[in-house]
Amino acid sequence: MKLLEELEQELMRLGYTEGSLKFYRRRWKMLLDFAKSRGENYFSEQLGIDFVEKHFNILEKDFDKTLSQKDTQELRVIRMVGDFQLHHSVLRRYYKHKEILTDPYYINISDDFQNYCKEKGYSKSTIDHYIKQSAYFMDYLASQGISNCSDITLELINRYIRTLAGYTYKTVEQNICSMRTFFRFLQERGIVSTDFASKTPMVQARKQTRIPSVWTKDELKGECKLFCVNGYSQKKLVKL
């Protein structure tokens, strides 16, 4: 599959070791043989599920909650193929190395962004978060063949945000906040002319009402009335 050839090139770009690449190549060969036996030429989620079930009996182990670390790794192999097919990028959940950026241009941009954040007076934890999340975004740009931040488009930004599917609302919100700060930096430095910070979409989430952590005596009496159903007093209060 051309898909696997491109995925291998991306893993090499990311600096995966030869030992790791050999492991992936063995699994990909098994996957190709499995697809060939079924007369399939294209990867699909169902093909991946059937593959891991046939060779590793994954579904039964998952049902019995007996998945081992090795089983999880087998699932990650297939999930990586599916993610790469969808986003043409190795998503950050597969990163094992500390250094996210390898391109000198993006490393320089990241260093400049760090200085910018310090000039703004952000806390160390905030700066660390902004630098890390912007590095993931720049690495995504590199995986898409973008070698200069001046070539960023809103479509690229939207495609990157789609790679965050599956993360919690709070995590996505924090990531987008980091990206907006990064885009403001790029605009202020004259690297981009478009105000991407204001154009970057925000995920929607339903606001949930929180239960007060402290109730007054009168409020508690009022809440107790809610436990009366059809004229019967229900003793539902739990002693804390």
Side-chain angles (χ1 to χ4, degrees):
M1 291 182 183
K2 182 181 179 182
L3 174 68
L4 297 180
E5 294 175 0
E6 294 177 349
L7 176 54
E8 181 175 357
Q9 290 299 314
E10 180 62 8
L11 293 183
M12 293 173 66
R13 184 188 72 82
L14 291 172
Y16 274 63
T17 65
E18 183 58 28
S20 294
L21 289 173
K22 285 182 179 179
F23 168 76
Y24 282 110
R25 288 173 188 138
R26 287 195 300 270
R27 289 297 179 266
W28 294 339
K29 184 179 184 306
M30 292 173 61
L31 177 61
L32 286 171
D33 290 341
F34 179 73
K36 184 177 180 180
S37 70
R38 292 169 43 133
E40 298 188 35
N41 297 318
Y42 299 96
F43 179 80
S44 66
E45 181 180 1
Q46 190 59 54
L47 176 68
I49 292 174
D50 293 345
F51 168 75
V52 293
E53 175 59 17
K54 175 178 174 59
H55 287 280
F56 308 107
N57 199 26
I58 293 292
L59 298 183
E60 182 177 339
K61 292 178 182 177
D62 186 35
F63 181 79
D64 295 336
K65 300 186 183 304
T66 58
L67 282 178
S68 65
Q69 186 64 36
K70 182 177 181 300
D71 295 326
T72 302
Q73 177 63 17
E74 302 297 351
L75 285 171
R76 285 169 62 86
V77 171
I78 298 303
R79 189 180 184 188
M80 179 187 285
V81 175
D83 282 341
F84 188 78
Q85 181 187 51
L86 184 61
H87 303 293
H88 202 71
S89 179
V90 175
L91 305 187
R92 67 171 182 261
R93 55 174 156 258
Y94 303 110
Y95 280 58
K96 292 184 178 180
H97 46 291
K98 293 183 179 180
E99 298 299 327
I100 301 172
L101 298 174
T102 57
D103 186 295
Y105 168 78
Y106 286 121
I107 292 175
N108 289 334
I109 290 290
S110 184
D111 290 341
D112 193 14
F113 180 44
Q114 185 173 39
N115 292 330
Y116 169 87
C117 291
K118 290 178 180 179
E119 293 169 4
K120 293 294 184 180
Y122 299 143
S123 68
K124 183 180 183 304
S125 60
T126 297
I127 293 175
D128 290 344
H129 179 73
Y130 284 178
I131 295 303
K132 185 175 183 179
Q133 298 308 321
S134 62
Y136 283 130
F137 175 65
M138 285 187 281
D139 188 65
Y140 174 79
L141 294 178
S143 73
Q144 305 302 299
I146 305 299
S147 58
N148 195 300
C149 286
S150 62
D151 294 326
I152 293 174
T153 64
L154 191 58
E155 173 58 26
L156 271 171
I157 295 171
N158 289 334
R159 279 174 15 208
Y160 175 73
I161 291 175
R162 286 197 287 270
T163 70
L164 303 178
Y167 289 93
T168 65
Y169 166 77
K170 192 64 177 178
T171 297
V172 176
E173 182 182 44
Q174 291 174 342
N175 289 345
I176 292 179
C177 179
S178 301
M179 291 172 62
R180 283 177 167 162
T181 302
F182 180 63
F183 296 145
R184 281 193 288 270
F185 151 75
L186 292 178
Q187 188 178 22
E188 289 182 25
R189 288 290 196 265
I191 299 174
V192 299
S193 57
T194 303
D195 182 10
F196 289 122
S198 65
K199 296 179 181 296
T200 300
M202 176 54 72
V203 292
Q204 298 296 319
R206 183 179 63 185
K207 298 294 184 181
Q208 295 182 343
T209 303
R210 292 185 176 182
I211 298 175
S213 58
V214 177
W215 276 331
T216 66
K217 184 176 180 180
D218 290 338
E219 288 172 336
L220 186 58
K221 287 181 179 179
E223 293 299 326
C224 287
K225 295 178 181 179
L226 297 177
F227 293 96
C228 293
V229 182
N230 295 328
Y232 293 93
S233 178
Q234 306 295 313
K235 296 182 179 180
K236 295 289 186 179
L237 292 179
V238 179
K239 185 177 180 180
L240 299 179

